[in-house]
């Protein structure tokens, strides 16, 4: 069984995001970049499937500038067998990523596509769903447990009410939630070996897709500053203050 | 324990200016000689530059030697110092600008550049990798390995996935042995392995104790109308008193940014002194605040620097290895610069080790250092630190001006300061408390909101990396004698005295805040705190600091 895992390069979760003064985006100069944590979880799941003898080949794919190869190398160090880079000047919008990945799925014929449920930079949570729709495959999102047999996967989904169990026929798109697993650390010798492995390049032309943005970014702004609070002397004063702001009737 | 091991020709600990220059120089020497060389650099920061912090005004001497065509190669050294001022701050409002002739000559900055050392290190790392060195970030060198004869045989990286209680978590991964005939230690100031090596090989026997300062730095994006590219300001005096050494800096860097900070010598006497608060109030002085009004603070960090200079340089070579850069302590305290000497001693370490790889034996770094311009320049400035320590800032500076400008550092005597910095505190009972006014949230801030800007993170479930030799000392000794100074000297609010009703005082260590500055390891009066590396990748994630 072949598993395709998507890997996005994002600003590291520890970094305090700074918005560019002109509102065109966020500061990236000198900022630590990492593999999207949900993609790390998806990759870890693929590695565990392989270790359990259920998957035979793991292919990691990333879309973006040359720098995304760093994250592909991490994926190789962690246990991916192959890495594919789809070159693009900037990170794509979800629908474009889904189109490119659909094209790639047509070439690679994976039995399972594992993805993070969303990327922590744009928080879109759209690509897995769009990809499944474009491919006409079943999907299971927010997976916290995956059990595979030859023809289908049973997936526990994290939903508001608790867990929902789905069975999806393969091939399918499954997106990983936080509690699916705890990813392993890369080993230093494996990082070294991964530096010598090839990274395949598949261009948008090879896939017959064009990355024309479908959504227009108007502005990026930092969240409004929290106003200083004030202390109230009594419950009556608190109730009055809440009424004043229309928070109590 | 059964660990994996990897063999190299040279292992380098630390990817700062010294370690990376050593890696570049080693690969250059190997390539010139047509030899293949396996060089491995390990760095505890999550990536290159994550733990790098420096002013910085940069003297390009060593870079000129390492990469004569650095300009064509695109080194991020692009902002020449245009204007260089020294202000003596008399009080919280008043100041005098020192006329140029009054500034000790080595303190002048013609031909130097305002840089981000983090950026320069990323560039050096790219060069080192292009030349063939292997760099691994996110791996801390946890301990030194020795062979049967007692020579250094390499290092072992830290275990990952260990829980707070020492048990192994499901993602536990043992460290890896990195073995090599020679190891270059370049951990920076007060490296935890360097400390062990100095003890084991008695490297400090003929040297004065090392002396330190704490540097606290912020980066601000300022109102463009206040920005003057390449403008450099140093301050002396307020808010520090005459018996506390230190000074401030304001450097106008590219991108509308300003790097600013205050260095406070760690031989200060008053246990109530709080370097962080001194830095915060320093920003309120008109000389500094005029640039900051209307600006936004975007970065924060702190680091111990060594400033013992020439008298404090230890022996550098030992069987199986050498120490370079701030690990040994080559910062020139008169110039307040150590990046050029770190790079140069890294290069000298590479040359010594490359020679030893052919000839065997202990690498001769000490001889190379004594013949280099690093020794000459540190010798010339050797009386700076002790003079300030002995005579205070006012008379000390006068002496230094005469020493540097009239005698060019050639006075026929050498002053010494043999009191280590941890032994200088007065008793709290004999000291005055310092009234630091509350931060205004505009120019000055508290410690926690500052640490937030350093992007510091540690895996929470791991053993505490600040180890107390005797856990009773903070409350039983340090609190009554010195009002536990750790509460104040730590720039990241790691140490707290917590009073629980009915239970008395308790010493709390918030290790996840630690920005790896090493000041606690240096200043604790009982020398009871040992800094050891947390899980690899932990600590600050500085952006272009």
């Amino acid at each position: 069984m072949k598993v395709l895992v998507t890997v996005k390069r994002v600003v590291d979760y520890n970094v305090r995001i700074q918005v560019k003064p002109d509102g065109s985006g966020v500061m990236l100069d000198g900022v630590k970049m990492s593999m999207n944590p949900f993609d790390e979880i998806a990759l870890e799941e693929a590695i565990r499937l392989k270790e359990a003898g259920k998957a035979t080949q793991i292919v990691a794919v990333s879309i973006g500038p040359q720098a995304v190869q760093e994250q592909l190398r991490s994926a190789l160090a962690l246990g991916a067998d192959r890495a594919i880079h789809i070159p693009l000047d900037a990170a794509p919008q979800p629908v474009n990523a889904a189109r490119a990945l659909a094209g790639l799925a047509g070439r690679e014929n994976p039995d399972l596509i594992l993805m993070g449920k969303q990327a922590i930079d744009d928080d879109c949570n759209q690509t897995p769903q769009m990809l499944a729709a474009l491919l006409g495959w079943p999907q299971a999102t927010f997976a916290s447990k995956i059990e595979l047999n030859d023809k289908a996967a049973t997936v526990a989904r994290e939903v508001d009410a608790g867990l929902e169990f789905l069975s999806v026929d393969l091939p399918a798109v499954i997106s990983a939630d936080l509690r699916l697993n705890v990813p392993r650390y890369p080993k230093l010798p494996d990082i070294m070996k991964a530096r010598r492995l090839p990274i395949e390049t598949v261009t948008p032309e090879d896939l017959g897709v064009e990355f024309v943005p479908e959504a227009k970014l108007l502005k990026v702004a930092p969240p409004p500053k929290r106003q200083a609070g004030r202390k109230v002397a009594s419950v009556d004063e608190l109730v009055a203050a809440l009424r004043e702001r229309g928070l109590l009737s | 324990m059964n660990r994996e091991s990897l063999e190299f020709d040279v292992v380098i600990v630390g990817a700062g200016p010294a370690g990376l220059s050593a890696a570049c120089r080693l690969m250059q020497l190997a390539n010139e000689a047509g030899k293949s060389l396996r060089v491995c650099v390990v760095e505890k920061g999550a990536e290159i530059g994550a733990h790098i912090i420096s002013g910085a005004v940069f003297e390009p001497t060593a870079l000129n030697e390492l990469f004569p065509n650095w300009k064509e190669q695109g080194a991020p050294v692009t902002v020449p110092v245009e204007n260089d001022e020294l202000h003596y701050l008399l009080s919280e409002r008043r100041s005098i600008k020192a006329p140029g002739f009054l500034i000790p000559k080595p303190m002048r900055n013609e031909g130097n550049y305002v840089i981000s050392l983090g950026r320069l290190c990323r560039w050096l790392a790219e060069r080192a990798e292009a030349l063939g060195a292997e760099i691994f970030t996110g791996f801390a060198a946890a301990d030194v390995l020795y062979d049967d004869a007692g020579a250094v045989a390499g290092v072992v990286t830290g275990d990952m996935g260990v829980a707070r209680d020492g048990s192994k978590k499901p993602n536990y991964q043992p460290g890896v042995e990195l073995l090599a005939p020679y190891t270059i230690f370049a951990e920076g100031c007060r490296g935890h392995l360097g400390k062990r090596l100095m003890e084991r090989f008695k490297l400090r026997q003929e040297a004065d104790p090392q002396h330190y300062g704490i540097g606290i730095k912020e980066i601000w994006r300022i109102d463009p109308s206040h920005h003057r590219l390449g403008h450099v300001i140093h301050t002396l005096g307020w808010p520090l008193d005459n018996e506390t050494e230190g000074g401030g800096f304001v450097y106008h860097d590219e991108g509308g940014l300003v790097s600013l900070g205050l260095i406070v010598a760690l031989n200060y006497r008053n246990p109530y002194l709080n370097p962080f608060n001194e830095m915060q109030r320093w920003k309120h002085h008109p000389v500094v605040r005029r640039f900051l009004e209307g600006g936004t603070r975007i970065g924060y960090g702190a680091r111990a620097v060594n400033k013992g200079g020439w008298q404090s340089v230890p022996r550098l070579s030992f069987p199986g290895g050498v120490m370079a850069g701030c690990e040994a302590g080559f910062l020139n305290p008169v110039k307040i610069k150590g990046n050029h000497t770190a790079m140069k001693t890294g290069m000298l370490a590479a040359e010594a080790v490359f020679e030893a790889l052919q000839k065997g034996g202990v690498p001769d770094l000490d001889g190379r250092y004594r013949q280099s311009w690093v020794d000459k320049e540190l010798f010339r400035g050797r009386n700076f630190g002790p003079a300030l320590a002995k005579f205070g800032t006012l008379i000390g500076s006068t002496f230094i001006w005469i020493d540097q400008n009239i005698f060019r550092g050639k006075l026929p005597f050498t002053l010494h300061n043999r009191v280590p910095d941890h032994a200088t505190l007065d008793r709290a009972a004999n000291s005055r408390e310092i009234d630091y006014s509350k931060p205004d949230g505009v120019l000055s801030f508290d410690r926690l909101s500052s640490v937030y800007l350093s992007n510091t993170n540690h895996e929470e479930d791991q053993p505490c990396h600040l180890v107390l030799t005797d856990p009773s000392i903070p409350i039983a000794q340090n609190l009554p004698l010195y009002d536990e100074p750790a509460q104040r000297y730590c720039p990241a609010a790691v140490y707290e005295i917590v009073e629980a009703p009915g239970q008395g005082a308790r010493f709390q260590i918030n290790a996840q805040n630690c920005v790896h500055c090493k000041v606690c390891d240096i200043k604790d009066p009982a020398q009871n705190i040992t800094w050891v590396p947390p899980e690899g990748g932990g600590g600050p994630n500085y952006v272009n600091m």
Side-chain angles (χ1 to χ4, degrees):
Chain A
M1 175 182 288
K2 184 175 183 178
V3 183
L4 187 69
V5 181
T6 56
V7 167
K8 186 175 182 185
R9 175 181 169 91
V10 297
V11 174
D12 187 82
Y13 69 97
N14 290 312
V15 171
R16 185 179 169 276
I17 300 293
Q18 317 247 7
V19 174
K20 285 185 189 165
D22 67 0
S24 65
V26 302
M27 303 288 284
L28 295 177
D29 174 36
V31 167
K32 184 180 179 224
M33 305 294 283
S34 305
M35 188 188 299
N36 175 37
F38 292 110
D39 296 346
E40 258 186 307
I41 294 170
L43 176 64
E44 173 69 26
E45 195 64 16
I47 297 164
R48 290 185 188 189
L49 289 172
K50 195 179 167 197
E51 285 170 346
K54 293 190 172 156
T56 48
Q57 191 187 47
I58 302 170
V59 183
V61 56
S62 191
I63 309 173
Q66 185 71 14
V68 305
Q69 294 205 359
E70 276 175 43
Q71 278 61 46
L72 287 172
R73 296 249 174 244
S74 305
L76 289 168
L78 285 162
D81 299 288
R82 289 167 53 210
I84 296 173
H85 175 202
I86 302 175
L88 187 70
D89 291 343
Q93 291 181 355
V95 68
N96 291 321
R99 284 177 189 146
L101 293 169
L104 189 70
R107 289 163 61 109
E108 291 287 331
N109 296 310
D111 302 285
L112 176 63
I113 301 181
L114 270 171
M115 313 174 75
K117 68 167 180 180
Q118 68 195 63
I120 62 166
D121 52 359
D122 58 20
D123 272 344
C124 280
N125 187 345
Q126 293 168 348
T127 313
Q129 294 88 328
M130 288 176 170
L131 174 58
L134 288 171
L135 290 168
W137 291 6
Q139 58 173 301
T141 51
F142 310 113
S144 65
K145 191 163 197 254
I146 301 174
E147 276 173 34
L148 271 191
N149 58 43
D150 290 346
K151 297 263 185 295
T154 307
V155 178
R157 298 184 65 235
E158 296 203 1
V159 293
D160 281 353
L163 292 178
E164 177 183 88
F165 294 86
L166 287 184
S167 176
V168 287
D169 292 337
L170 299 181
V173 176
I174 300 178
S175 76
D177 211 326
L178 189 65
R179 276 167 286 274
L180 181 58
N181 59 52
V182 178
R184 69 196 63 198
Y185 296 99
K187 287 184 181 175
L188 194 146
D190 294 339
I191 294 174
M192 204 160 122
K193 280 178 214 147
R195 288 182 181 164
R196 287 157 181 77
L197 295 176
I199 288 179
E200 302 159 43
T201 301
V202 176
T203 63
E205 298 79 61
D206 295 338
L207 299 170
V209 290
E210 270 188 80
F211 285 94
V212 182
E214 303 271 354
K216 189 177 163 199
L217 176 75
L218 298 178
K219 194 175 83 169
V220 177
K225 273 207 174 137
R226 195 167 164 265
Q227 300 296 313
R230 75 178 160 99
K231 277 193 177 158
V232 290
S234 66
V235 174
D236 290 343
E237 197 187 333
L238 175 65
V239 170
L242 290 174
R243 283 229 168 89
E244 204 176 287
R245 298 189 186 193
L247 299 167
L248 267 186
S249 49
Chain B
M1 182 192 288
N2 229 350
R3 296 182 180 279
E4 273 187 82
S5 64
L6 292 172
E7 289 188 20
F8 297 93
D9 295 306
V10 184
V11 168
I12 299 172
V13 181
L20 292 169
S21 299
C24 290
R25 188 72 195 120
L26 273 168
M27 296 315 298
Q28 286 175 344
L29 289 166
N31 296 346
E32 282 160 21
K35 289 186 157 59
S36 81
L37 200 66
R38 292 162 303 166
V39 174
C40 158
V41 184
V42 278
E43 163 58 44
K44 69 180 162 69
E47 60 171 12
I48 302 291
H51 291 184
I52 293 292
I53 170 168
S54 182
V57 170
F58 179 70
E59 181 184 308
T61 34
L63 183 61
N64 290 339
E65 294 176 22
L66 187 59
F67 293 108
N69 58 342
W70 55 265
K71 277 189 185 156
E72 294 75 57
Q73 289 190 297
V77 178
T78 53
V79 180
V81 174
E82 294 290 351
N83 206 320
D84 190 8
E85 294 175 4
L86 175 66
H87 293 255
Y88 197 91
L89 311 187
L90 299 161
S91 69
E92 62 179 305
R93 306 213 56 80
R94 294 188 306 131
S95 64
I96 337 172
K97 185 169 143 186
F101 73 89
L102 268 185
I103 299 175
K105 282 184 181 155
M107 283 185 79
R108 299 177 195 169
N109 280 308
E110 290 99 338
N112 295 338
Y113 294 82
V114 175
I115 66 159
S116 146
L117 185 63
R119 238 192 224 123
L120 179 62
C121 284
R122 274 202 301 282
W123 183 84
L124 285 170
E126 283 164 20
R127 297 275 88 66
E129 284 184 325
L131 286 162
E134 296 263 9
I135 302 175
F136 301 99
T137 56
F139 291 93
D143 211 345
V144 184
L145 297 169
Y146 299 96
D147 66 15
D148 294 339
V152 171
V155 294
V156 59
T157 64
D159 296 348
M160 310 284 270
V162 178
R164 182 178 301 269
D165 62 5
S167 64
K168 294 172 187 175
K169 294 190 279 185
N171 59 357
Y172 171 75
Q173 193 184 287
V176 178
E177 292 183 350
L178 304 172
L179 302 170
Y182 296 102
T183 305
I184 299 175
F185 292 87
E187 300 174 283
C189 176
R190 194 75 168 194
H192 77 288
L193 298 181
K195 193 175 157 187
R196 290 177 208 177
L197 291 165
M198 288 189 222
E199 271 169 40
R200 184 181 174 108
F201 293 107
K202 302 191 167 49
L203 303 176
R204 300 210 65 89
Q205 262 179 345
E206 283 139 46
D208 283 0
Q210 185 56 267
H211 296 286
Y212 302 90
I214 174 174
I216 299 174
K217 173 179 168 178
E218 297 180 351
I219 300 179
W220 284 62
R221 180 177 298 111
I222 65 166
D223 181 334
S225 66
H226 297 159
H227 195 271
R228 296 168 62 191
L229 191 65
H231 190 48
V232 163
I233 291 176
H234 290 102
T235 72
L236 283 172
W238 189 88
L240 304 176
D241 59 26
N242 187 42
E243 62 184 27
T244 308
E245 295 164 43
F249 63 88
V250 182
Y251 304 152
H252 291 238
D253 200 351
E254 59 194 335
L257 302 181
V258 162
S259 292
L260 65 146
L262 186 74
I263 297 174
V264 179
L266 286 178
N267 62 353
Y268 68 81
R269 292 172 56 184
N270 185 343
Y272 291 113
L273 186 133
N274 181 323
F276 174 85
N277 285 344
E278 296 290 344
M279 192 272 178
Q280 294 304 316
R281 66 174 178 174
W282 167 77
K283 284 183 289 179
H284 285 268
H285 197 283
V287 165
V288 183
R289 74 180 300 160
R290 61 187 159 139
F291 298 116
L292 304 182
E293 277 165 347
T296 315
R297 186 173 72 143
I298 61 169
Y300 171 82
R303 184 74 172 91
V305 295
N306 36 32
K307 56 173 199 56
W310 190 80
Q311 295 90 322
S312 299
V313 172
R315 197 146 57 77
L316 307 169
S317 313
F318 41 86
V322 293
M323 295 192 299
C326 286
E327 178 93 83
F330 292 108
L331 182 135
N332 179 338
V334 193
K335 292 184 177 176
I336 346 168
K337 289 180 189 63
N339 293 328
H340 64 306
T341 51
M343 288 183 68
K344 178 63 180 177
T345 52
M347 292 155 64
L348 294 172
E351 288 162 18
V353 163
F354 190 74
E355 183 188 69
L357 281 167
Q358 331 293 321
K359 297 202 319 203
V362 176
D364 178 24
L365 178 55
D366 294 275
R368 281 182 166 79
Y369 156 62
R370 292 292 169 201
Q371 282 159 27
S372 72
W373 54 255
V374 179
D375 176 80
K376 282 190 191 68
E377 100 168 48
L378 292 187
F379 181 79
R380 180 177 168 174
R382 73 195 178 287
N383 287 330
F384 177 85
L388 287 179
K390 270 192 187 9
F391 310 133
T393 306
L394 274 176
I395 299 175
S397 327
T398 313
F399 168 83
I400 289 153
W401 185 84
I402 296 168
D403 174 44
Q404 295 298 309
N405 290 28
I406 310 283
F407 293 99
R408 295 172 188 274
K410 287 179 183 157
L411 285 173
F413 56 84
T414 297
L415 300 172
H416 290 274
N417 178 1
R418 295 200 170 97
V419 184
D421 293 348
H422 65 81
T424 58
L425 284 180
D426 294 334
R427 298 289 163 92
N430 306 329
S431 307
R432 74 190 152 81
E433 289 195 42
I434 304 174
D435 177 28
Y436 296 108
S437 46
K438 269 198 166 175
D440 67 0
V442 179
L443 285 175
S444 48
F445 306 91
D446 64 14
R447 277 188 290 193
L448 287 180
S449 64
S450 303
V451 175
Y452 180 55
L453 291 181
S454 67
N455 304 318
T456 295
N457 184 53
H458 291 89
E459 163 62 45
E460 278 200 25
D461 187 13
Q462 65 170 307
C464 180
H465 74 277
L466 299 151
V467 181
L468 301 179
T469 310
D470 176 351
S472 74
I473 282 182
I475 299 297
Q477 281 186 29
N478 285 354
L479 189 58
L481 293 180
Y482 307 106
D483 196 39
E484 184 47 274
Q487 303 176 75
R488 290 173 294 275
Y489 59 60
C490 173
V494 167
Y495 301 100
E496 281 183 275
I497 300 287
V498 182
E499 303 270 355
Q503 290 170 22
R506 188 168 59 81
F507 189 60
Q508 180 169 305
I509 304 179
N510 308 310
Q512 69 277 8
N513 283 359
C514 175
V515 295
H516 298 199
C517 79
K518 318 279 175 75
V519 166
C520 52
D521 194 292
I522 296 165
K523 186 64 177 171
D524 179 50
Q527 288 293 279
N528 185 47
I529 303 176
T530 302
W531 188 98
V532 298
E535 190 169 288
N541 282 289
Y542 292 142
V543 179
N544 298 331
M545 285 290 260

